[in-house]
Amino acid sequence: MSSTRGSSAGRTLAGVAIVLGSAVLASCQTTGSSPQLDAADPTPPGRIVTQGETRKLIAQNLTTCAHPNPKMNLRVAAVGEVTATDGTVIVTPAETALQKGLGPRSHDMYNECDRITPRNTAEVSTAGAPVIEIDPDGEVITGYIVADNYYEMYVNGRLVSVDSTPFTPFNSAIVKFRVKRPYTVAIMGVDWEEHMGLGMELFPVSGPKQNPWHPGDGGLIVKLSDGTVTDSSWKAQSFYIAPLNDPKEVVERGHLHDTTHLGRVHPVAKKPNCQGKCYAVRYPIPANWQSPRFNDSYWPRAYEYTDTDIGVRNLPAYTRYPELFEGARWIWSVNLVFDNLVIMRKTVR
């Protein structure tokens, strides 16, 4: 989708980008054959540039924790608004279903805040997970999801799961839906931030060498009971890239937003020294990205990452249940560190 530029302040990115209207969220019926795709736009969308941290908050904290304790890495998940150089007003880090109060909320597999912490796969129960019906005569599919940090998942345009923990402590979720093949999974992933509009956070949580201006990193892993797994066969496009010393650090190669020269994973990724004066580059999000009709043929493929790349080798929400994620790979866009809002899609045939 090509961006529409203008000088009038107050124009919102949501006007040209994210639309979670009732038509999109309505229950979709599939026909058992692939839907006709919308025409793909070969023209890469124009960038939108912001600089500096926003102080305008529109939500103080989306994190809720029923049973907090001092040992948790419990972070504030605020939402803000930042004005771009062209006057576009952008919700940061993203406009999400969670902020809008849309559901269903994720069903816990592991969640410290809800005191649901099975010791191993044998103790995980899927019995209480609701089945979201897309096709009444379809197959019931069960899935397991871990996101760093936030996800919202759609199947054939129907919202089936909204991450209940947008930042940390890290959680994992169970999802169930009834659908016929072919079907399309579309997931928005967000690496949350503490410096609003800059993609940076405090790291580590404790210790003498804390960096309050540390670029975060993202990641998503999914396995479904019909054998579908996250891997490089998915598509993954980035829409929010930060922190940057200069917007020119994002090199547009067609529809690929390339920052590989900055380093793709920690610890090799270059940490910018601009702090509160860093830049961000954003792109308008197509209004129908959740739809099976959306044509993602120009999007880059997803990139696979290891447990070490993601930093989850000691994450119980994931490591306690290796059987449930066997064969799945962590995926994200081309850059795990600098890409903060990524949409990932896969059509299952």
Side-chain angles (χ1 to χ4, degrees), residues 156-175:
N156 286 352
R158 173 76 179 269
L159 185 59
V160 299
S161 186
V162 177
D163 198 343
S164 60
T165 308
F167 208 161
T168 59
F170 287 101
N171 63 312
S172 51
I174 300 168
V175 64

Side-chain angles (χ1 to χ4, degrees), residues 56-254:
K56 183 178 180 181
L57 298 183
I58 58 177
Q60 294 291 329
N61 188 8
L62 298 185
T63 297
T64 57
C65 190
H67 304 284
N69 68 65
K71 294 183 179 180
M72 285 183 181
N73 179 17
L74 189 59
R75 304 275 186 120
V76 172
V79 182
E81 283 185 347
V82 59
T83 301
T85 55
D86 69 350
T88 304
V89 178
I90 302 168
V91 175
T92 187
E95 187 173 6
T96 64
L98 181 65
Q99 180 192 348
K100 294 173 177 286
L102 302 176
R105 298 285 284 270
S106 57
H107 182 84
D108 291 330
M109 180 163 74
Y110 179 102
N111 190 335
E112 294 175 50
C113 285
D114 292 340
R115 293 180 177 171
I116 297 176
T117 56
R119 291 173 294 179
N120 51 45
T121 297
E123 291 189 357
V124 173
S125 173
T126 64
V131 178
I132 308 303
E133 187 170 285
I134 298 165
D135 296 308
D137 56 345
E139 172 189 0
V140 174
I141 294 172
T142 301
Y144 306 96
I145 306 170
V146 186
D148 182 359
N149 300 111
Y150 167 87
Y151 77 89
E152 55 189 62
M153 177 179 180
Y154 299 78
V155 176
N156 286 352
R158 173 76 179 269
L159 185 59
V160 299
S161 186
V162 177
D163 198 343
S164 60
T165 308
F167 208 161
T168 59
F170 287 101
N171 63 312
S172 51
I174 300 168
V175 64
K176 284 184 180 179
F177 54 91
R178 186 188 300 275
V179 72
K180 294 190 299 185
R181 293 192 184 209
Y183 64 89
T184 298
V185 180
I187 301 176
M188 175 191 286
V190 181
D191 178 30
W192 223 270
E193 57 195 4
E194 288 176 304
H195 293 285
M196 306 305 296
L198 296 179
M200 290 191 279
E201 62 188 55
L202 172 68
F203 183 85
V205 179
S206 60
K209 295 184 179 180
Q210 286 184 325
N211 177 9
W213 300 93
H214 184 80
D217 55 7
L220 175 82
I221 191 167
V222 177
K223 183 173 182 179
L224 304 181
S225 58
D226 66 353
T228 302
V229 295
T230 44
D231 58 20
S232 59
S233 68
W234 289 54
K235 292 297 187 77
Q237 182 61 287
S238 58
F239 293 91
Y240 168 27
I241 304 169
L244 303 167
N245 281 312
D246 190 306
K248 294 179 182 178
E249 291 177 328
V250 179
V251 180
E252 287 146 358
R253 307 184 191 279

